[in-house]
Amino acid sequence: MSGQTVPADFSGHMLDLDEDEDLEVFSKNTSLADGDPMPNSPSSMVNQYRLEEDEEQQDANTKDLFITVDNPESHVTAIETFIMYRVVTKTTRSEFDSSEYEVRRRYQDFLWLRSRLEENYPTLIVHPLPEKFVMKGMVERFNDDFIETRKRALHRFLNKISEHPILSYSQHFKVFLTAQDLASHRKQGPGFLSRMGETVRAVANSVRGLRNRPEEFSLMQEYVDDFSNKISSVDKVTQRIIKEQREYLDELKQYSPTYTQWAGLEEELEEPLKGVASCVERCSKETEEQIHHLSEVLVPALHEYVLCAETLKAVMRRRDNIQAEFEAKNEALASKKVDQEALQEEVDGLADRVEQANNVLKGDWSRWQNSMRTDLKSAFISTAEKNMEYYEKTVGYPES
Amino acid sequence: MVTPWFQPLGACADESIRCASSADGNSQMMMADSGSNEEVAVIGNTDITSTESENNIINTMVERGTALLRKMEINVAEAEKRMGKNTVNMQETYTVYLIETRPAEAVPDGGTPATPDTLWRRYSEFELLRTYLLVTYPYIIIPPLPEKRAEFVWHKLSADNLDPDFVERRRVGLENFLLRVASHPVLSNDKIFFLFLTEEKGWREAVLETGFQDKVDSRLKSLSASFRVKNPDKRFTALKHYSDELNTVISQLLRVRARVADRLYGVYKVHGNYGRVFSEWSAIEKEMGDGLQSAGHHMDTYAASIDDILEEEEHYADQLKEYLFYTEAVRSVCRKHELIQYELEIAAQDLAYKKQQKEELVTGTVRVFSLKGMTSKLFGQESQEQRESRLAALEQSIQEGEESLKEKNTESQEFVRTAWEDIERFKEQKDKDLREALISYAIMQISMCKKGIQVWSNAKECFNKM
């Protein structure tokens, strides 16, 4: 897929270009060994403004990449034991050689994919992965519930990436979905030292501080901080509700047998007492289901967005770093102590990069907001419906 | 304001059902078969609250009650705090309750009801009345008073006697007590009870004049003594056993219910946190803001709704508590029977022994070891005179014994008869009352669920607008 020409049609359809290539020009890491050429195509920049429209188009009729994650299996080697998940891809995209793929991946492979994506697209919002280890849940690494939860989150992760107009065309993503042996691909990639250099530069820049963050990104930063607080609070409240429900359930379980016991003593009252007993039992059962639903639907959704908030913070930081680097070089230019021409070119390049990064972020931002709104809205609606169902079922019995 | 919850004997919701009663109110009330009709009336309309259904029953009560209730309406209208000096001359705060009585005449349309006669009583006076009734009518299951101290409370409820909610619930309980007594075929005719309702000042003296205090001690003794009865009436043994088991099961039920209430309170209140967080979150969102904010309001409503729900449930708990305390009254009637039976057995035993002694004296044989026999063996026989006087004394004693035994026998039989009559009455009352209580509990649960559906349906609409 090298040497692409830019289609004259900018009407908002997805380009066949591997947009990876364009962005890679602007990433710190220019020594990719993936073998992708890097034309600097201004037109592809234009297309990134159309992210929002693309998304709507895609939702409507162009979903052409279907991914499922399932079948977790324990894999034992001499050194370690880990879980492998099956990843099945079905697609009609032309850049894929086949229409169906099945591979096995472990959690570390997902981590690799995500960090590649973040590197290549520093100011895109890449959906978070489930956490490595859940301390709070007192869950053992290979506990069934934990594996199931993780599997679902990994599934969501890949689907989020596949729905993203830019990320889904990433070369790394394709490799992840198709390569039977991922290990060899993982070995290629930026060397450790160049990554270290990048981190050092980032730290140096952040210490310098940002001269002039544009207003809209300051607002965005504020929002990100507030959102992070609020979503964490909602998550905590939900966890607390589950805890209280569990304790309520424990007491309810003792309530019903007492009525049954009393029914055994009576004659006339036996019938109404047994009625109350089975009513309470019904209530118990429904409460159990309610707790289950909260844990399966609302908590994972909220938790994902708690992690998203952290991702957003990282994206903001990276954007700031890109700007900081530009500013540093720009200042050096002004000091007139160095080679003007060479530096000027570099500064111009960095300026473009800043603009690029900002625009990309802006585009992706509204996309993310919509996505967040949709996801959380549906989770809350589902919870409300479940609660209504709970009361409807519980009322059904006493009325009879 | 909550009204008493029980339906006095003889009152029927359906007026077409006949209840037999005699003018003096003493004979047994016939319970008509009204159970199924009432159930339909109550369950068919699940929208009425539990208090409403009770009011329906109360309204018809007066028409069919005892002679006393036909004459007057009774209620405990208010409670007030007073300061006064107690027995050790220290200042204390206590609560008094206002008892209102008014003639139970039908009020003509547009007319105003007659002003009631009123007097104030404190809880200790109610206790005195009840103790009097307990010793005076040992064969009757005396209605219990509301608890002295709050028990089986869940955390939010205070266990403080001066807490206004507790005072209010006690007021209702006291009114209930008076109505129970007033509708009892035997107790309603008691003079002291009548004075309790009508004579504020002279009542205490009147009670003490009855001399009931003397019987109090012996009653306490009989309750706590342990003795073996050889031949108790099996029905009483079974009843005591049932009463003890009922006591255990209701206690347990009340304990668990309190814990369940506690937990349910927690669940609802935590949802209030959603209200707060959604509100704060809505401030930073554009499109989602309105939906979040209004959803938050519904969460607040949901959290607040638990207070009313649990207050109504407290009412149900009070109904159970009344029967919990009733079990103690039942137990003491059974114990009284045992005591009477025991004394009867002892008297019979005594008599038999005396007769035995007489026979020995007459025939000169000593079949049974006795100290007299031994001493006469050791120290010589007694004279003929002595023997004859002893015989005469013994015969006298035997005659007295026989009379006493006959009396005790009659007393025992009378006790068994009257007690069992009251027990039958009580059983029917209990079955009816508790059935009503369970039904209204079910209605409460339904109402709670309906409210829940409403709130979440509203919340869902708000989420839809997000």
Side-chain angles (χ1 to χ4, degrees):
Chain A
M1 272 186 352
S2 47
Q4 300 285 342
T5 51
V6 177
D9 177 23
F10 295 144
S11 62
H13 288 296
M14 297 304 292
L15 287 184
D16 283 344
L17 262 185
D18 185 351
E19 293 170 53
D20 251 25
E21 300 164 351
D22 302 298
L23 285 181
E24 273 157 27
V25 170
F26 304 107
S27 80
K28 295 181 173 162
N29 199 335
T30 53
S31 59
L32 278 181
D34 274 341
D36 293 329
M38 297 169 288
N40 184 356
S41 162
S43 55
S44 58
M45 276 168 62
V46 172
N47 274 307
Q48 271 138 39
Y49 290 113
R50 297 184 189 273
L51 276 177
E52 232 175 279
E53 292 171 43
D54 285 346
E55 185 202 338
E56 284 167 35
Q57 284 271 349
Q58 183 178 48
D59 284 349
N61 51 21
T62 59
K63 188 165 163 113
D64 53 4
L65 190 59
F66 296 86
I67 306 175
T68 49
V69 176
D70 59 14
N71 198 6
E73 263 175 18
S74 204
H75 207 85
V76 185
T77 69
I79 313 168
E80 50 175 349
T81 311
F82 52 87
I83 303 282
M84 288 287 244
Y85 301 86
R86 185 175 72 155
V87 179
V88 174
T89 308
K90 294 195 172 83
T91 180
T92 53
R93 287 191 187 174
S94 53
E95 50 279 14
F96 287 82
D97 295 329
S98 165
S99 62
E100 253 192 69
Y101 291 91
E102 184 177 316
V103 295
R104 299 211 74 91
R105 297 285 178 250
R106 58 184 292 193
Y107 182 73
Q108 275 185 27
D109 298 332
F110 286 83
L111 282 178
W112 169 85
L113 171 64
R114 187 167 189 277
S115 72
R116 282 289 87 71
L117 289 174
E118 277 199 315
E119 263 181 58
N120 291 345
Y121 307 95
T123 55
L124 279 185
I125 302 166
V126 181
H127 202 74
L129 278 172
E131 281 147 326
K132 273 197 181 156
F133 193 81
V134 182
M135 288 305 293
K136 202 170 49 154
M138 306 164 298
V139 161
E140 217 188 83
R141 253 181 85 214
F142 295 115
N143 171 283
D144 279 348
D145 276 341
F146 176 73
I147 292 171
E148 178 67 22
T149 311
R150 180 178 266 194
K151 183 202 82 178
R152 292 210 194 122
L154 294 175
H155 175 95
R156 272 184 67 75
F157 168 75
L158 289 180
N159 276 285
K160 283 286 184 182
I161 305 295
S162 78
E163 287 162 12
H164 196 288
I166 299 176
L167 293 174
S168 70
Y169 289 88
S170 152
Q171 185 64 8
H172 296 295
F173 188 49
K174 177 160 172 261
V175 161
F176 179 91
L177 293 174
T178 60
Q180 284 304 322
D181 173 23
L182 193 62
S184 58
H185 287 269
R186 284 174 58 173
K187 289 200 176 68
Q188 310 163 4
F192 176 69
L193 282 177
S194 68
R195 272 205 290 242
M196 270 298 286
E198 162 195 327
T199 316
V200 168
R201 275 208 302 277
V203 170
N205 286 331
S206 61
V207 167
R208 250 184 94 256
L210 214 54
R211 286 297 144 89
N212 212 356
R213 188 192 282 142
E215 172 86 18
E216 67 185 303
F217 294 111
S218 289
L219 289 174
M220 221 183 255
Q221 179 73 51
E222 258 182 59
Y223 173 85
V224 167
D225 289 334
D226 286 337
F227 177 78
S228 175
N229 276 335
K230 298 313 157 202
I231 197 71
S232 294
S233 296
V234 177
D235 183 46
K236 282 197 196 110
V237 171
T238 310
Q239 306 270 21
R240 179 83 189 279
I241 288 177
I242 292 180
K243 174 169 169 283
E244 296 285 336
Q245 290 274 43
R246 288 215 171 104
E247 290 179 348
Y248 171 62
L249 186 64
D250 283 342
E251 298 299 343
L252 264 189
K253 285 195 169 141
Q254 293 185 32
Y255 199 28
S256 167
T258 312
Y259 278 108
T260 310
Q261 203 181 333
W262 185 359
L265 293 179
E266 300 285 344
E267 288 161 15
E268 284 291 312
L269 290 177
E270 190 181 353
E271 184 204 316
L273 283 170
K274 280 200 170 146
V276 175
S278 60
C279 188
V280 172
E281 245 192 79
R282 186 56 178 270
C283 192
S284 275
K285 212 171 66 117
E286 295 302 323
T287 305
E288 227 163 344
E289 278 205 32
Q290 196 183 21
I291 294 173
H292 189 72
H293 183 271
L294 275 179
S295 306
E296 300 282 305
V297 173
L298 189 55
V299 168
L302 290 173
H303 202 60
E304 245 175 64
Y305 280 93
V306 170
L307 294 175
C308 263
E310 293 307 306
T311 303
L312 288 175
K313 286 182 185 167
V315 166
M316 299 302 295
R317 272 198 303 275
R318 291 198 285 265
R319 192 218 68 84
D320 281 352
N321 286 338
I322 291 173
Q323 184 175 333
E325 196 175 339
F326 159 73
E327 283 175 358
K329 286 280 154 71
N330 207 17
E331 268 183 37
L333 190 66
S335 71
K336 294 189 165 87
K337 288 190 192 151
V338 292
D339 174 7
Q340 294 274 344
E341 225 177 279
L343 193 57
Q344 184 67 54
E345 215 180 299
E346 202 183 337
V347 167
D348 286 342
L350 286 175
D352 281 342
R353 187 157 160 253
V354 169
E355 198 179 329
Q356 164 84 331
N358 288 347
N359 292 330
V360 157
L361 175 57
K362 272 193 279 198
D364 211 28
W365 179 254
S366 57
R367 185 180 178 279
W368 177 84
Q369 286 227 294
N370 270 335
S371 182
M372 180 268 284
R373 190 169 60 89
T374 313
D375 287 346
L376 291 182
K377 170 174 162 177
S378 107
F380 282 127
I381 288 176
S382 173
T383 303
E385 282 177 350
K386 183 65 189 174
N387 284 339
M388 282 168 64
E389 190 189 307
Y390 164 80
Y391 282 117
E392 275 159 11
K393 284 202 182 149
T394 317
V395 86
Y397 199 83
E399 263 180 346
S400 65
Chain B
M1 174 150 139
V2 183
T3 52
W5 51 75
F6 82 103
Q7 178 186 321
L9 191 65
C12 316
D14 182 350
E15 290 194 21
S16 68
I17 293 167
R18 291 147 273 114
C19 295
S21 68
S22 71
D24 68 1
N26 245 340
S27 62
Q28 175 71 34
M29 295 290 186
M30 293 269 288
M31 273 305 293
D33 175 27
S34 56
S36 50
N37 290 350
E38 284 164 359
E39 271 177 75
V40 168
V42 171
I43 294 186
N45 177 10
T46 55
D47 283 338
I48 58 175
T49 64
S50 51
T51 21
E52 278 169 3
S53 77
E54 286 148 16
N55 281 339
N56 291 343
I57 299 168
I58 297 295
N59 286 338
T60 54
M61 158 184 106
V62 179
E63 297 183 24
R64 306 244 184 250
T66 55
L68 181 64
L69 278 180
R70 279 202 284 276
K71 269 195 305 178
M72 60 155 68
E73 275 176 32
I74 307 171
N75 60 344
V76 178
E78 285 165 35
E80 237 181 54
K81 285 219 210 347
R82 294 272 170 86
M83 291 280 285
K85 289 234 159 84
N86 65 7
T87 44
V88 291
N89 219 21
M90 287 180 45
Q91 279 286 80
E92 61 166 6
T93 316
Y94 58 89
T95 315
V96 285
Y97 300 86
L98 183 69
I99 302 183
E100 279 183 0
T101 50
R102 57 161 75 82
E105 296 157 342
V107 181
D109 282 343
T112 47
T115 354
D117 292 324
T118 63
L119 47 77
W120 294 93
R121 292 270 183 234
R122 52 186 296 191
Y123 187 81
S124 54
E125 290 175 280
F126 280 85
E127 282 182 310
L128 189 59
L129 171 67
R130 186 164 190 269
T131 310
Y132 161 79
L133 291 173
L134 278 170
V135 296
T136 315
Y137 303 93
Y139 55 97
I140 299 283
I141 299 170
I142 308 291
L145 283 171
E147 54 194 353
K148 201 165 171 116
R149 258 161 273 287
E151 275 177 55
F152 305 110
V153 286
W154 55 280
H155 283 144
K156 197 203 153 208
L157 276 200
S158 127
D160 170 22
N161 280 5
L162 292 173
D163 174 67
D165 282 334
F166 179 76
V167 167
E168 172 60 17
R169 287 185 14 251
R170 184 185 259 194
R171 182 196 64 76
V172 173
L174 290 175
E175 185 175 283
N176 193 62
F177 167 76
L178 291 179
L179 287 169
R180 289 267 191 220
V181 176
S183 63
H184 191 283
V186 173
L187 300 176
S188 57
N189 296 310
D190 186 274
K191 186 89 172 108
I192 296 291
F193 175 61
F194 185 77
L195 290 177
F196 181 84
L197 296 174
T198 53
E199 283 285 326
E200 184 153 2
K201 299 283 189 253
W203 180 73
R204 206 171 251 277
E205 284 74 29
V207 182
L208 294 174
E209 257 170 47
T210 62
F212 83 100
Q213 296 277 31
D214 308 328
K215 300 191 207 158
V216 172
D217 284 335
S218 84
R219 177 173 177 274
L220 279 176
K221 254 193 273 181
S222 84
L223 282 182
S224 54
S226 66
F227 41 77
R228 284 274 297 320
V229 185
K230 293 201 187 103
N231 245 345
D233 184 320
K234 289 217 169 38
R235 296 177 298 173
F236 283 91
T237 317
L239 181 64
K240 188 168 83 146
H241 187 63
Y242 163 78
S243 176
D244 288 345
E245 299 214 300
L246 188 64
N247 185 299
T248 309
V249 92
I250 294 185
S251 298
Q252 194 177 325
L253 194 64
L254 285 170
R255 260 194 303 273
V256 178
R257 189 212 73 88
R259 290 202 300 262
V260 168
D262 228 351
R263 290 295 166 210
L264 191 62
Y265 184 78
V267 169
Y268 271 72
K269 285 299 176 190
V270 176
H271 280 82
N273 289 342
Y274 268 154
R276 188 180 44 84
V277 178
F278 281 177
S279 182
E280 290 170 9
W281 184 6
S282 73
I284 64 171
E285 297 287 345
K286 291 187 210 94
E287 278 182 70
M288 285 167 64
D290 287 337
L292 268 181
Q293 174 120 45
S294 34
H297 287 150
H298 291 298
M299 293 296 100
D300 285 332
T301 307
Y302 183 70
S305 68
I306 190 67
D307 293 314
D308 283 344
I309 290 170
L310 287 180
E311 202 183 294
E312 266 203 73
E313 244 199 43
E314 211 48 48
H315 195 53
Y316 168 69
D318 283 341
Q319 287 171 279
L320 293 182
K321 270 184 211 173
E322 195 197 12
Y323 277 92
L324 178 69
F325 302 145
Y326 254 125
T327 59
E328 285 161 22
V330 171
R331 173 169 237 272
S332 61
V333 170
C334 294
R335 287 288 288 179
K336 183 70 182 175
H337 159 76
E338 282 175 10
L339 182 66
I340 292 175
Q341 183 68 13
Y342 178 71
E343 286 175 356
L344 181 64
E345 285 173 7
I346 293 293
Q349 217 178 309
D350 257 2
L351 186 63
Y353 177 65
K354 284 181 190 153
K355 285 187 173 166
Q356 175 90 358
Q357 273 191 314
K358 171 185 163 184
E359 198 191 307
E360 286 170 15
L361 211 53
V362 163
T363 61
T365 54
V366 181
R367 253 183 294 154
V368 178
F369 176 81
S370 77
L371 196 56
K372 195 83 182 154
M374 275 313 291
T375 51
S376 56
K377 266 206 152 128
L378 287 171
F379 300 112
Q381 293 280 22
E382 44 188 2
S383 69
Q384 180 69 8
E385 272 173 16
Q386 282 174 318
R387 254 179 94 233
E388 271 172 18
S389 81
R390 268 218 300 140
L391 194 63
L394 207 51
E395 273 185 22
Q396 171 79 351
S397 174
I398 286 175
Q399 203 174 18
E400 284 168 3
E402 271 173 350
E403 269 173 37
S404 157
L405 185 65
K406 208 156 71 169
E407 261 174 47
K408 282 201 161 33
N409 222 344
T410 315
E411 185 195 344
S412 172
Q413 279 174 6
E414 186 62 16
F415 181 90
V416 166
R417 187 186 68 79
T418 52
W420 205 255
E421 215 176 275
D422 196 51
I423 287 165
E424 292 292 348
R425 179 206 62 83
F426 171 76
K427 276 187 187 170
E428 288 190 53
Q429 172 197 301
K430 172 204 75 150
D431 283 341
K432 185 173 216 53
D433 288 349
L434 289 176
R435 175 170 268 254
E436 299 286 352
L438 290 168
I439 288 172
S440 73
Y441 182 63
I443 292 178
M444 247 189 277
Q445 299 297 96
I446 291 174
S447 152
M448 176 176 104
C449 289
K450 285 190 173 161
K451 281 190 208 155
I453 292 173
Q454 187 61 49
V455 167
W456 285 103
S457 159
N458 289 339
K460 177 182 161 180
E461 263 180 57
C462 296
F463 289 137
N464 257 324
K465 297 205 198 105
M466 258 164 73

